[in-house]
Amino acid sequence: MFKITVPATSANLGVGYDVMGLALSMSMTVTFSAHASGVLITGGDPRFQNADNLIYQAFVRGCEALDQPVPGVHLDVACEIPAARGLGSSAACIVAGLAGANRWFGQPLERLDLLRLATAMEGHPDNVAPAIFGQLAATIMVDAEPVVAHYQVHSSWHFAVVIPDTPLSTAEARAVLPTQMSYAQASYQMGHCTLACTALERGDKAMLQAALQDKMQEPYRAKLIAGFADVKALGATLNIPVVISGAGSTMLAISADAKRLQRFVTQARIQHPHWQVQVLTIDQQGFQVQEASRAIAE
Ligand SMILES: Nc1ncnc2c1ncn2[C@@H]1O[C@H](COP(=O)(O)OP(=O)(O)OP(=O)(O)O)[C@@H](O)[C@H]1O
Ligand SMILES: N[C@@H](CCO)C(=O)O
């Protein structure tokens, strides 16, 4: 028996659509143990307690990639990451399943191999890269091979998430985006994405404020998130940038002033008493494998 713990992730950081992602201190833990045959799933959302479960689908994919027969498996799921809220729940499932198959057969695959497999399943690398490596990752694909840049996020940054009580599927949020953009728009977005990474790494407040002005998806997706305008306006009054986390519906606030961010959290809870609003820290390591009672370093 072993456990795989995978962090939640916030993709895009507004301006880094399908490229950037940040690992956060919220997680899913899956306990893998032998089962007579097929799959038994306990814990987690009852909707997912069947063989279509994405963790199990990724486990099967991992076994296939390793050229191994799929063993009978019991998956016991403990999940803090809400589904379809822009916090990388699908990426966490995929990484847990692939890492579980890898551990089952003696860990022959490196983390970069898992990233290649996970990206093929998820369709884009921005959530799965930080779920695998932790911290802030920017990933490009070169002929289906991921190339990842890792950024050490400056310790001055503090993060809060505002999680609405309504889901928004990634498929729905992608469907509202235009299919083309101009050179001028591409240039705007490339510049903002590059400077956002630099600002997060350096702890540069003015640069982050300037860089986190997304024009590629926020204008189209904002209308899908009831309450987005209120939360964005609250951030503006406190000088705190707010971006859509992943495909939404969660919003991510970033500040170098912990007390001001706490005021944002308090006010957001008053604005939306039924939503989950919390301060999170950066996950440093990506997914972890735990044997019995001790964590093993890979
Ligand atoms: N605990 C879970 N167990 C099994 N499957 C899950 C679980 N959580 C999420 N999923 C799967 O992931 C899907 C949600 O993925 P989707 O890409 O829409 O949102 P997300 O990954 O939470 O958000 P984003 O990609 O924007 O960060 C669910 O419909 C379900 O198929
Ligand atoms: N980059 C993705 C993240 C969600 O999976 C999107 O914005 O659609």
Side-chain angles (χ1 to χ4, degrees):
M1 185 207 286
F2 61 89
K3 296 181 184 210
I4 308 281
T5 298
V6 189
T9 48
S10 179
N12 300 336
L13 281 298
V15 290
Y17 178 72
D18 278 1
V19 174
M20 282 161 67
L22 187 64
L24 295 168
S25 58
M26 179 185 266
S27 61
M28 163 187 286
T29 295
V30 184
T31 304
F32 291 76
S33 53
H35 185 60
S37 66
V39 61
L40 170 67
I41 299 171
T42 53
D45 189 325
R47 280 179 305 160
F48 305 130
Q49 289 176 347
N50 54 61
D52 291 334
N53 182 293
L54 192 53
I55 306 165
Y56 181 63
Q57 292 302 317
F59 180 76
V60 170
R61 177 71 197 99
C63 295
E64 287 167 0
L66 291 166
D67 215 8
Q68 295 285 351
V70 182
V73 64
H74 174 191
L75 306 175
D76 187 44
V77 182
C79 189
E80 298 172 342
I81 309 171
R85 295 296 199 290
L87 286 167
S89 69
S90 54
C93 292
I94 290 168
V95 170
L98 291 172
N102 192 40
R103 161 59 189 81
W104 196 286
F105 293 108
Q107 304 203 105
L109 300 177
E110 303 290 339
R111 286 184 183 239
L112 202 55
D113 299 318
L114 296 174
L115 176 56
R116 180 171 29 77
L117 293 169
T119 301
M121 286 193 76
E122 175 84 336
H124 37 84
D126 50 350
N127 286 106
V128 288
I132 290 171
F133 293 104
Q135 280 279 344
L136 174 65
T139 312
I140 58 171
M141 301 302 293
V142 180
D143 296 335
E145 285 299 321
V147 180
V148 197
H150 303 283
Y151 296 85
Q152 183 76 34
V153 176
H154 198 275
S155 58
S156 61
W157 293 121
H158 302 276
F159 301 87
V161 285
V162 181
I163 310 174
D165 51 8
T166 43
L168 176 56
S169 82
T170 297
E172 189 187 342
R174 289 178 91 84
V176 300
L177 300 179
T179 53
Q180 293 187 333
M181 65 196 301
S182 68
Y183 268 75
Q185 290 165 327
S187 170
Y188 173 99
Q189 205 71 23
M190 286 190 295
H192 284 67
C193 178
T194 306
L195 267 64
C197 290
T198 304
L200 286 166
E201 195 174 40
R202 289 187 188 162
D204 188 323
K205 294 173 220 149
M207 190 184 289
L208 194 74
Q209 272 285 4
L212 288 189
Q213 309 294 329
D214 172 49
K215 290 191 181 175
M216 192 168 167
Q217 32 121 19
E218 185 178 302
Y220 309 99
R221 289 176 163 175
K223 58 182 178 288
L224 301 178
I225 305 170
F228 176 80
D230 299 342
V231 176
K232 188 89 179 174
L234 174 62
T237 60
L238 292 166
N239 215 22
I240 292 176
V242 173
V243 295
I244 297 174
S245 177
S249 52
T250 292
M251 292 148 272
L252 176 74
I254 308 176
S255 176
D257 183 335
K259 283 191 183 149
R260 197 182 300 176
L261 190 68
Q262 193 51 56
R263 286 214 300 281
F264 171 87
V265 166
T266 303
Q267 289 299 320
R269 284 180 181 150
I270 292 168
Q271 265 185 354
H272 299 287
H274 303 297
W275 293 7
Q276 190 182 337
V277 186
Q278 66 187 103
V279 170
L280 296 175
T281 56
I282 303 285
D283 173 274
Q284 301 288 337
Q285 296 173 300
F287 81 82
Q288 295 293 298
V289 184
Q290 195 174 25
E291 303 284 350
S293 62
R294 70 187 171 84
I296 58 164
E298 290 176 85

XYZ file of all heavy atoms in Angstrom, residues 35-123:
650
model
N -6.311 -5.089 -5.106
C -7.716 -5.507 -5.058
C -7.821 -6.753 -5.940
O -7.016 -6.918 -6.873
C -8.598 -4.370 -5.587
C -10.062 -4.633 -5.466
N -10.688 -4.855 -4.259
C -11.037 -4.688 -6.418
C -11.970 -5.050 -4.476
N -12.214 -4.956 -5.770
N -8.793 -7.616 -5.640
C -8.863 -8.909 -6.337
C -8.846 -8.746 -7.865
O -8.050 -9.381 -8.566
C -10.112 -9.670 -5.895
N -9.704 -7.861 -8.375
C -9.707 -7.608 -9.824
C -10.439 -6.300 -10.089
O -11.194 -5.809 -9.239
C -10.412 -8.749 -10.577
O -11.770 -8.753 -10.214
N -10.208 -5.723 -11.248
C -10.886 -4.465 -11.610
C -10.499 -3.344 -10.658
O -9.370 -3.283 -10.179
N -11.487 -2.460 -10.395
C -11.192 -1.312 -9.532
C -12.285 -1.134 -8.487
O -13.475 -1.310 -8.764
C -11.030 -0.016 -10.367
C -12.302 0.332 -11.137
C -10.588 1.156 -9.506
N -11.860 -0.819 -7.264
C -12.762 -0.404 -6.191
C -12.361 1.016 -5.810
O -11.179 1.272 -5.558
C -12.601 -1.339 -4.977
C -13.309 -0.860 -3.700
C -14.836 -0.896 -3.864
C -12.881 -1.720 -2.498
N -13.335 1.920 -5.814
C -13.035 3.306 -5.442
C -13.842 3.678 -4.212
O -15.069 3.529 -4.202
C -13.338 4.275 -6.601
C -12.464 3.916 -7.811
C -13.075 5.723 -6.177
C -12.815 4.655 -9.069
N -13.139 4.137 -3.188
C -13.814 4.632 -1.987
C -13.355 6.066 -1.746
O -12.313 6.494 -2.228
C -13.491 3.755 -0.758
O -12.067 3.640 -0.635
C -14.098 2.377 -0.887
N -14.139 6.809 -0.980
C -13.793 8.202 -0.684
C -14.068 9.095 -1.872
O -14.459 8.643 -2.946
N -13.873 10.391 -1.665
C -14.092 11.360 -2.744
C -15.566 11.504 -3.087
O -16.454 11.010 -2.384
N -15.801 12.176 -4.177
C -17.167 12.453 -4.624
C -17.806 11.163 -5.146
O -17.242 10.518 -6.039
C -17.079 13.501 -5.740
C -18.428 14.044 -6.157
O -19.406 13.268 -6.144
O -18.490 15.231 -6.514
N -18.987 10.750 -4.612
C -19.637 9.514 -5.070
C -19.875 9.465 -6.582
O -19.903 8.389 -7.175
C -20.979 9.515 -4.326
C -20.779 10.417 -3.163
C -19.730 11.421 -3.560
N -19.986 10.649 -7.232
C -20.174 10.676 -8.703
C -19.020 10.003 -9.434
O -19.165 9.539 -10.554
C -20.224 12.131 -9.201
C -21.533 12.835 -9.027
C -21.408 14.264 -9.542
N -20.309 14.992 -8.906
C -19.740 16.085 -9.410
N -20.122 16.579 -10.559
N -18.770 16.705 -8.765
N -17.853 9.990 -8.789
C -16.665 9.483 -9.471
C -16.278 8.079 -9.011
O -15.185 7.607 -9.308
C -15.486 10.445 -9.266
C -15.768 11.862 -9.696
C -15.501 12.933 -8.845
C -16.302 12.137 -10.948
C -15.758 14.241 -9.241
C -16.565 13.434 -11.348
C -16.295 14.489 -10.496
N -17.167 7.405 -8.267
C -16.828 6.064 -7.752
C -17.206 4.986 -8.769
O -18.061 4.135 -8.516
C -17.515 5.821 -6.403
C -16.898 6.664 -5.284
C -17.625 6.501 -3.970
O -18.726 5.965 -3.912
N -17.015 6.969 -2.889
N -16.568 5.041 -9.931
C -16.814 4.043 -10.977
C -15.567 3.970 -11.867
O -14.627 4.759 -11.711
C -18.067 4.413 -11.794
C -17.967 5.823 -12.332
O -17.059 6.115 -13.103
N -18.861 6.700 -11.913
N -15.591 3.036 -12.825
C -14.387 2.781 -13.639
C -14.048 3.926 -14.592
O -12.962 3.951 -15.174
C -14.551 1.478 -14.415
N -14.980 4.897 -14.759
C -14.668 6.076 -15.580
C -13.820 7.094 -14.821
O -13.393 8.101 -15.405
C -15.958 6.790 -16.020
C -16.738 5.956 -17.018
O -16.086 5.142 -17.718
O -17.971 6.114 -17.073
N -13.634 6.845 -13.534
C -12.878 7.773 -12.691
C -11.548 8.149 -13.354
O -10.802 7.282 -13.821
C -12.630 7.085 -11.337
C -11.894 7.990 -10.377
O -10.740 8.316 -10.592
N -12.578 8.374 -9.313
N -11.272 9.440 -13.384
C -10.086 9.928 -14.090
C -8.779 9.431 -13.462
O -7.781 9.220 -14.166
C -10.135 11.467 -14.129
C -9.162 12.189 -15.039
C -9.206 11.693 -16.479
C -9.457 13.704 -14.993
N -8.780 9.226 -12.159
C -7.568 8.693 -11.500
C -7.315 7.272 -12.024
O -6.187 6.919 -12.385
C -7.739 8.658 -9.963
C -8.150 10.014 -9.422
C -6.445 8.164 -9.285
C -8.685 9.985 -7.996
N -8.388 6.498 -12.082
C -8.233 5.117 -12.564
C -7.867 5.100 -14.047
O -7.007 4.318 -14.476
C -9.526 4.323 -12.315
C -9.413 2.880 -12.777
C -8.487 2.019 -12.201
C -10.214 2.399 -13.817
C -8.362 0.703 -12.637
C -10.098 1.089 -14.256
C -9.165 0.247 -13.660
O -9.037 -1.051 -14.092
N -8.500 5.982 -14.833
C -8.163 6.050 -16.265
C -6.677 6.369 -16.449
O -6.012 5.802 -17.327
C -9.020 7.110 -16.968
C -10.501 6.759 -17.062
C -10.723 5.442 -17.797
O -10.098 5.181 -18.819
N -11.592 4.594 -17.261
N -6.152 7.251 -15.627
C -4.728 7.605 -15.723
C -3.855 6.446 -15.224
O -2.764 6.209 -15.758
C -4.450 8.873 -14.916
N -4.346 5.734 -14.207
C -3.600 4.554 -13.722
C -3.490 3.519 -14.851
O -2.410 2.979 -15.120
C -4.346 3.978 -12.510
C -3.704 2.755 -11.906
C -2.572 2.856 -11.105
C -4.245 1.498 -12.138
C -1.990 1.726 -10.545
C -3.670 0.365 -11.582
C -2.536 0.476 -10.788
N -4.591 3.281 -15.552
C -4.604 2.340 -16.684
C -3.639 2.825 -17.770
O -2.841 2.053 -18.310
C -6.038 2.191 -17.253
C -6.032 1.420 -18.572
C -6.946 1.534 -16.225
N -3.698 4.146 -18.058
C -2.803 4.712 -19.084
C -1.337 4.537 -18.671
O -0.468 4.234 -19.497
C -3.142 6.201 -19.273
C -2.265 6.939 -20.247
C -2.526 6.530 -21.690
N -1.424 6.946 -22.556
C -0.423 6.145 -22.959
N -0.392 4.871 -22.600
N 0.529 6.609 -23.732
N -1.065 4.710 -17.398
C 0.300 4.533 -16.896
C 0.769 3.093 -17.058
O 1.911 2.843 -17.474
N -0.120 2.136 -16.753
C 0.235 0.717 -16.915
C 0.535 0.424 -18.386
O 1.518 -0.263 -18.707
C -0.898 -0.180 -16.423
S -1.200 -0.034 -14.652
N -0.302 0.985 -19.285
C -0.085 0.772 -20.729
C 1.263 1.351 -21.153
O 2.024 0.721 -21.896
C -1.200 1.445 -21.534
C -2.537 0.724 -21.442
C -3.704 1.566 -21.979
O -3.476 2.716 -22.417
O -4.832 1.061 -21.930
N 1.567 2.543 -20.667
C 2.836 3.193 -21.040
C 4.027 2.373 -20.553
O 5.089 2.371 -21.178
C 2.889 4.606 -20.468
N 3.832 1.686 -19.448
C 4.910 0.846 -18.889
C 4.889 -0.562 -19.467
O 5.707 -1.403 -19.091
C 4.764 0.779 -17.362
C 5.051 2.093 -16.629
C 4.548 2.029 -15.196
C 6.539 2.389 -16.659
N 3.899 -0.818 -20.353
C 3.764 -2.149 -20.958
C 3.536 -3.226 -19.895
O 4.122 -4.323 -19.963
C 5.023 -2.461 -21.782
C 4.679 -3.259 -23.022
O 3.475 -3.410 -23.296
O 5.617 -3.742 -23.699
N 2.697 -2.903 -18.939
C 2.400 -3.831 -17.844
C 0.903 -4.124 -17.817
O 0.092 -3.270 -18.204
C 2.783 -3.199 -16.495
C 4.262 -2.944 -16.312
C 5.065 -4.212 -16.043
O 4.496 -5.287 -15.821
N 6.379 -4.093 -16.077
N 0.493 -5.319 -17.348
C -0.936 -5.604 -17.206
C -1.532 -4.726 -16.106
O -0.833 -4.389 -15.136
C -0.955 -7.085 -16.790
C 0.379 -7.322 -16.179
C 1.360 -6.401 -16.863
N -2.810 -4.343 -16.305
C -3.452 -3.486 -15.297
C -3.854 -4.363 -14.105
O -4.684 -5.267 -14.245
C -4.700 -2.792 -15.891
C -5.335 -1.870 -14.845
C -4.334 -2.022 -17.150
N -3.294 -4.115 -12.938
C -3.646 -4.944 -11.784
C -4.990 -4.530 -11.174
O -5.458 -3.409 -11.404
C -2.505 -4.649 -10.800
C -2.082 -3.249 -11.129
C -2.309 -3.069 -12.607
N -5.621 -5.425 -10.407
C -6.780 -5.022 -9.610
C -6.308 -4.007 -8.582
O -5.258 -4.195 -7.953
N -7.075 -2.924 -8.425
C -6.596 -1.859 -7.532
C -7.746 -1.253 -6.735
O -8.857 -1.091 -7.241
C -5.840 -0.768 -8.352
C -6.766 -0.056 -9.334
C -5.154 0.244 -7.449
N -7.453 -0.956 -5.478
C -8.379 -0.202 -4.626
C -7.813 1.218 -4.502
O -6.670 1.394 -4.060
C -8.473 -0.879 -3.246
C -9.293 -0.095 -2.260
N -9.338 -0.397 -0.918
C -10.123 0.969 -2.418
C -10.136 0.456 -0.295
N -10.622 1.291 -1.194
N -8.614 2.194 -4.917
C -8.222 3.600 -4.790
C -9.072 4.234 -3.700
O -10.303 4.264 -3.819
C -8.474 4.354 -6.102
C -7.861 3.794 -7.384
C -8.321 4.620 -8.590
C -6.336 3.807 -7.279
N -8.417 4.699 -2.644
C -9.157 5.422 -1.612
C -8.780 6.901 -1.734
O -7.608 7.259 -1.607
C -8.802 4.877 -0.216
C -9.690 5.501 0.839
O -10.921 5.607 0.614
O -9.159 5.938 1.882
N -9.776 7.730 -2.020
C -9.518 9.130 -2.392
C -9.892 10.072 -1.247
O -10.987 9.985 -0.696
C -10.352 9.503 -3.647
C -10.075 10.941 -4.085
C -10.073 8.526 -4.791
N -8.959 10.968 -0.910
C -9.249 12.059 0.038
C -8.903 13.352 -0.699
O -7.735 13.584 -1.016
C -8.414 11.912 1.294
N -9.915 14.154 -0.988
C -9.683 15.268 -1.918
C -10.154 16.607 -1.353
O -11.328 16.772 -1.026
C -10.402 14.984 -3.242
S -9.960 16.167 -4.505
N -9.215 17.562 -1.245
C -9.573 18.940 -0.846
C -9.852 19.799 -2.076
O -10.343 20.908 -1.948
C -8.402 19.595 -0.107
C -7.996 18.937 1.175
C -6.692 19.546 1.727
O -5.943 20.208 0.985
O -6.429 19.313 2.910
N -9.461 19.321 -3.259
C -9.536 20.162 -4.463
C -10.944 20.062 -5.058
O -11.363 18.973 -5.473
C -8.500 19.722 -5.523
C -7.101 19.602 -4.896
C -8.489 20.681 -6.705
C -6.061 18.959 -5.821
N -11.674 21.168 -5.107
C -13.032 21.089 -5.653
C -13.000 20.830 -7.157
O -12.129 21.351 -7.855
C -13.631 22.462 -5.333
C -12.452 23.374 -5.212
C -11.300 22.543 -4.720
N -13.936 20.021 -7.644
C -13.967 19.683 -9.073
C -14.504 20.850 -9.886
O -15.432 21.554 -9.464
C -14.838 18.449 -9.291
N -13.901 21.045 -11.056
C -14.373 22.033 -12.034
C -14.491 23.440 -11.455
O -15.475 24.142 -11.648
C -15.715 21.588 -12.635
N -13.469 23.858 -10.732
C -13.432 25.217 -10.162
C -12.165 25.976 -10.579
O -11.886 27.035 -10.047
C -13.454 25.177 -8.627
C -14.696 24.627 -7.993
C -15.912 25.503 -8.288
N -16.988 25.254 -7.356
C -17.711 24.130 -7.330
N -17.471 23.166 -8.199
N -18.678 23.967 -6.448
N -11.346 25.401 -11.476
C -10.139 26.112 -11.881
C -8.961 25.909 -10.943
O -8.020 26.707 -10.937
N -8.983 24.843 -10.176
C -7.857 24.554 -9.272
C -7.183 23.222 -9.623
O -6.571 22.572 -8.774
C -8.329 24.584 -7.813
C -8.582 26.005 -7.297
C -9.346 26.000 -5.975
C -7.265 26.784 -7.138
N -7.326 22.830 -10.878
C -6.557 21.691 -11.371
C -6.985 20.346 -10.837
O -6.150 19.444 -10.670
N -8.290 20.152 -10.619
C -8.737 18.843 -10.095
C -8.464 17.735 -11.111
O -8.021 16.631 -10.739
C -10.224 18.879 -9.722
O -11.046 18.984 -10.865
N -8.698 18.011 -12.396
C -8.464 16.959 -13.396
C -6.969 16.649 -13.503
O -6.568 15.481 -13.604
C -9.050 17.344 -14.751
O -8.565 18.595 -15.171
N -6.135 17.689 -13.436
C -4.686 17.465 -13.483
C -4.238 16.639 -12.282
O -3.401 15.733 -12.414
C -3.954 18.803 -13.504
N -4.795 16.918 -11.112
C -4.415 16.164 -9.904
C -4.789 14.693 -10.059
O -4.017 13.799 -9.690
C -5.093 16.769 -8.678
N -5.978 14.434 -10.630
C -6.399 13.039 -10.867
C -5.429 12.343 -11.814
O -5.015 11.199 -11.579
C -7.793 13.002 -11.504
S -9.115 13.546 -10.434
N -5.094 13.031 -12.901
C -4.224 12.428 -13.929
C -2.840 12.141 -13.347
O -2.279 11.048 -13.529
C -4.157 13.363 -15.164
C -5.507 13.370 -15.888
C -3.033 12.948 -16.103
C -5.657 14.455 -16.938
N -2.291 13.110 -12.633
C -0.953 12.922 -12.054
C -0.983 11.813 -10.997
O -0.074 10.969 -10.943
C -0.430 14.265 -11.477
C 0.843 14.048 -10.662
C -0.176 15.251 -12.612
N -2.041 11.779 -10.193
C -2.134 10.731 -9.160
C -2.166 9.345 -9.810
O -1.463 8.417 -9.368
C -3.375 10.945 -8.297
N -2.979 9.200 -10.862
C -3.102 7.889 -11.508
C -1.817 7.449 -12.184
O -1.376 6.297 -12.043
N -1.176 8.373 -12.911
C 0.076 8.027 -13.598
C 1.192 7.744 -12.590
O 1.943 6.764 -12.733
C 0.496 9.178 -14.525
C -0.377 9.414 -15.759
C 0.041 10.704 -16.463
C -0.284 8.229 -16.732
N 1.298 8.594 -11.571
C 2.348 8.385 -10.561
C 2.083 7.095 -9.784
O 3.027 6.405 -9.370
C 2.403 9.590 -9.618
N 0.794 6.762 -9.614
C 0.453 5.510 -8.921
C 0.897 4.291 -9.724
O 1.471 3.337 -9.176
N 0.648 4.323 -11.030
C 1.083 3.200 -11.883
C 2.608 3.099 -11.873
O 3.184 2.004 -11.807
C 0.568 3.409 -13.310
N 3.262 4.259 -11.930
C 4.723 4.273 -11.929
C 5.277 3.672 -10.637
O 6.188 2.835 -10.651
C 5.200 5.721 -12.099
C 6.676 5.811 -12.399
O 7.214 5.000 -13.157
N 7.351 6.786 -11.796
N 4.704 4.069 -9.504
C 5.149 3.522 -8.214
C 4.845 2.018 -8.131
O 5.653 1.231 -7.617
C 4.469 4.287 -7.068
C 4.447 3.592 -5.721
C 5.830 3.270 -5.178
N 5.762 2.423 -3.993
C 5.607 1.112 -3.991
N 5.494 0.451 -5.135
N 5.553 0.436 -2.863
N 3.686 1.622 -8.661
C 3.264 0.206 -8.592
C 4.333 -0.689 -9.224
O 4.603 -1.784 -8.765
C 1.928 0.049 -9.308
C 1.213 -1.232 -9.001
C 1.530 -2.488 -9.444
C 0.049 -1.379 -8.172
N 0.645 -3.416 -8.953
C -0.283 -2.761 -8.178
C -0.754 -0.485 -7.451
C -1.383 -3.265 -7.470
C -1.845 -0.986 -6.769
C -2.138 -2.370 -6.772
N 4.922 -0.188 -10.321
C 5.893 -1.005 -11.068
C 7.339 -0.538 -10.855
O 8.192 -0.709 -11.736
C 5.518 -1.005 -12.555
C 4.217 -1.727 -12.806
C 3.069 -1.029 -13.130
C 4.125 -3.115 -12.660
C 1.854 -1.696 -13.334
C 2.917 -3.786 -12.858
C 1.781 -3.081 -13.196
N 7.619 0.045 -9.684
C 9.019 0.282 -9.299
C 9.618 1.604 -9.728
O 10.832 1.768 -9.696
N 8.791 2.558 -10.134
C 9.204 3.922 -10.484
C 10.265 4.003 -11.596
O 11.285 4.684 -11.431
C 9.669 4.671 -9.228
C 8.590 4.667 -8.149
C 8.696 5.776 -7.134
O 7.925 6.727 -7.183
N 9.635 5.660 -6.237
N 10.026 3.333 -12.730
C 10.986 3.453 -13.828
C 10.923 4.811 -14.537
O 11.879 5.181 -15.225
C 10.568 2.328 -14.790
C 9.127 2.099 -14.499
C 8.931 2.395 -13.044
N 9.800 5.515 -14.406
C 9.651 6.785 -15.147
C 10.119 7.967 -14.318
O 9.890 8.035 -13.107
C 8.183 6.995 -15.546
C 7.564 5.925 -16.452
C 6.079 6.240 -16.690
C 8.306 5.839 -17.778
N 10.762 8.930 -14.992
C 11.148 10.205 -14.370
C 9.927 11.139 -14.375
O 8.976 10.924 -15.126
C 12.271 10.869 -15.180
C 13.506 10.027 -15.352
C 14.277 9.859 -14.048
O 14.091 10.688 -13.142
O 15.031 8.879 -13.948
N 10.042 12.210 -13.601
C 8.933 13.183 -13.557
C 8.660 13.795 -14.940
O 7.512 14.065 -15.288
C 9.210 14.270 -12.507
C 9.015 13.730 -11.098
C 9.169 14.746 -9.995
N 9.028 14.045 -8.722
C 8.108 14.309 -7.784
N 7.280 15.305 -7.931
N 8.042 13.583 -6.689
N 9.700 14.002 -15.741
C 9.486 14.562 -17.070
C 8.698 13.591 -17.966
O 7.873 14.010 -18.785
C 10.835 14.921 -17.714
C 10.793 15.951 -18.837
C 10.124 17.252 -18.412
C 12.201 16.225 -19.358
N 8.930 12.270 -17.789
C 8.146 11.274 -18.536
C 6.669 11.371 -18.130
O 5.766 11.282 -18.972
C 8.642 9.853 -18.230
C 10.090 9.642 -18.627
O 10.469 10.113 -19.705
O 10.832 9.010 -17.848
N 6.450 11.521 -16.816
C 5.063 11.634 -16.340
C 4.412 12.893 -16.897
O 3.225 12.895 -17.241
C 5.029 11.639 -14.806
C 5.509 10.343 -14.140
C 5.564 10.503 -12.628
C 4.597 9.167 -14.508
N 5.200 13.967 -17.016
C 4.647 15.207 -17.578
C 4.217 14.999 -19.028
O 3.159 15.476 -19.448
C 5.675 16.344 -17.476
C 5.264 17.676 -18.113
C 3.943 18.175 -17.554
C 6.357 18.722 -17.920
N 5.026 14.288 -19.800
C 4.660 14.030 -21.208
C 3.348 13.255 -21.269
O 2.431 13.613 -22.018
C 5.798 13.263 -21.892
C 5.522 12.943 -23.349
C 6.727 12.387 -24.082
N 7.659 11.648 -23.260
C 7.495 10.386 -22.821
N 6.407 9.710 -23.139
N 8.407 9.795 -22.077
N 3.227 12.200 -20.456
C 2.000 11.388 -20.465
C 0.804 12.197 -19.958
O -0.299 12.128 -20.513
C 2.192 10.152 -19.577
C 3.211 9.117 -20.068
C 3.503 8.086 -18.972
C 2.678 8.418 -21.317
N 1.030 12.961 -18.898
C -0.069 13.735 -18.292
C -0.558 14.819 -19.247
O -1.763 15.065 -19.355
C 0.400 14.359 -16.975
N 0.373 15.452 -19.957
C -0.029 16.508 -20.905
C -0.866 15.919 -22.034
O -1.858 16.521 -22.462
C 1.219 17.217 -21.474
O 1.953 17.780 -20.380
C 0.824 18.317 -22.437
N -0.489 14.724 -22.476
C -1.267 14.083 -23.552
C -2.693 13.804 -23.065
O -3.652 13.939 -23.827
C -0.581 12.801 -23.995
N -2.838 13.441 -21.797
C -4.194 13.181 -21.282
C -4.967 14.475 -21.049
O -6.157 14.558 -21.346
C -4.116 12.403 -19.958
C -3.748 10.947 -20.118
S -4.038 9.992 -18.604
C -5.821 9.820 -18.619
N -4.318 15.478 -20.453
C -5.014 16.733 -20.080
C -5.241 17.642 -21.285
O -6.170 18.434 -21.299
C -4.190 17.444 -18.983
C -4.686 18.814 -18.552
C -5.779 18.794 -17.492
O -6.500 17.776 -17.362
O -5.935 19.823 -16.806
N -4.347 17.557 -22.280
C -4.501 18.387 -23.482
C -3.635 19.629 -23.461
O -3.399 20.239 -24.500
